[in-house]
């Protein structure tokens, strides 16, 4: 915290910084990080790229990003861990879709992760299910849950209002043990990039 305060009180930075971040944290994290950073460093040119973790890593390796915030749920890279944020099944408090048979689920469209983790977790519990809704992003899954169309796999920190996690007592439990990590491009470095990384760390705190 002292390092972040010192960074924010330092002389204004200049130059570009390119950030990749999952949609799940676009509002909750970037609003705080960019708000504080832009206030103290108005001459910095910030570019943000939203997208799945795999795309962010590809962009980082291709030199298109300076910083990438991504989910890791297996083969942990050893990069800086910002937050432990497991994926859980989520249901609407108002609609109780988890009590339906077959169980209506919302999943990411064409997602290997959904097949390997989310759907497998349902199958391992012996639950009869049907895919009631597909989406390319977490916003669509949140909409499906909040509207009472299905239950959906969401990171624990991104559960919408009027919705709740389905825990062990409900016959469910964690889908994975995802961590949110910060990758940095080893080929780009500057005070501006370091300062933005510090601001992102503080936003996750």
């Amino acid at each position: 915290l002292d390092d972040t305060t010192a960074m924010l009180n330092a002389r204004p930075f200049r130059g570009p910084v390119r950030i990749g971040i999952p949609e799940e944290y676009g509002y909750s994290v970037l609003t705080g990080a960019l708000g504080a950073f832009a206030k103290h460093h108005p001459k910095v040119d910030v570019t943000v790229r939203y997208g799945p973790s795999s795309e962010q890593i590809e962009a980082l390796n291709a030199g298109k990003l300076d910083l990438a915030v991504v989910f890791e749920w297996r083969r942990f890279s050893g990069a800086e861990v910002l937050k432990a944020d497991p994926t859980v099944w989520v249901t609407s408090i108002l609609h109780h879709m988890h009590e339906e048979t077959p169980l209506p689920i919302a999943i990411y469209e064409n997602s290997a992760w959904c097949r390997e983790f989310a759907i497998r977790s349902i199958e391992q519990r012996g639950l009869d299910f049907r895919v009631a809704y597909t989406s390319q992003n977490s916003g669509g899954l949140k909409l499906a849950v909040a509207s009472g169309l299905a239950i959906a796999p969401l990171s624990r920190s991104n559960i919408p209002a009027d919705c709740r996690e389905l825990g062990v007592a409900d016959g469910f439990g964690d889908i994975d043990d995802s961590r949110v990590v910060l990758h940095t491009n080893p080929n780009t470095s500057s005070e501006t990039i370091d300062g933005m990384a510090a601001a992102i760390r503080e936003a996750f705190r």
Side-chain angles (χ1 to χ4, degrees):
L1 183 58
D2 290 340
D3 290 343
T4 302
T5 301
M7 179 276 298
L8 292 174
N9 291 329
R11 60 179 175 79
F13 298 142
R14 292 176 177 270
V17 58
R18 302 164 299 170
I19 309 164
I21 193 165
E23 178 208 5
E24 287 87 341
Y25 298 108
Y27 183 82
S28 60
V29 173
L30 276 188
T31 299
L34 292 184
F37 194 85
K39 179 180 178 180
H40 291 273
H41 307 288
K43 298 297 185 181
V44 172
D45 181 14
V46 180
T47 303
V48 180
R49 177 191 182 116
Y50 286 104
S53 295
S54 58
E55 293 181 6
Q56 306 293 14
I57 292 298
E58 289 176 3
L60 188 79
N61 292 337
K64 297 178 181 179
L65 292 175
D66 303 305
L67 302 168
V69 177
V70 301
F71 286 108
E72 292 183 357
W73 57 86
R74 63 181 177 182
R75 294 194 296 271
F76 297 115
S77 65
E80 178 182 354
V81 177
L82 298 170
K83 183 183 184 70
D85 200 5
T87 310
V88 298
W89 286 103
V90 176
T91 189
S92 166
I93 295 173
L94 302 176
H95 300 98
H96 308 285
M97 296 308 293
H98 60 287
E99 298 176 355
E100 297 289 325
T101 304
L103 183 68
I105 66 172
I107 59 174
Y108 291 106
E109 186 176 356
N110 300 321
S111 168
W113 175 88
C114 272
R115 292 191 296 272
E116 186 172 350
F117 287 89
I119 291 178
R120 181 178 294 178
S121 74
I122 293 291
E123 293 174 337
Q124 288 175 339
R125 291 171 172 82
L127 299 174
D128 186 20
F129 70 94
R130 65 181 179 89
V131 176
Y133 188 100
T134 61
S135 175
Q136 294 183 344
N137 54 56
S138 65
L141 298 191
K142 292 179 184 179
L143 177 63
V145 175
S147 301
L149 299 176
I151 68 170
L154 296 168
S155 53
R156 181 171 283 145
S157 68
N158 277 272
I159 297 175
D162 295 323
C163 298
R164 71 174 181 87
E165 173 184 341
L166 291 167
V168 175
D170 300 296
F172 293 83
D174 291 0
I175 297 173
D176 63 20
D177 57 349
S178 287
R179 303 172 189 175
V180 185
V181 302
L182 176 64
H183 287 263
T184 58
N185 189 331
N187 298 317
T188 61
S189 63
S190 68
E191 285 185 326
T192 300
I193 294 171
D194 292 343
M196 179 57 76
I200 289 173
R201 292 186 193 101
E202 181 59 24
F204 270 95
R205 290 193 186 101

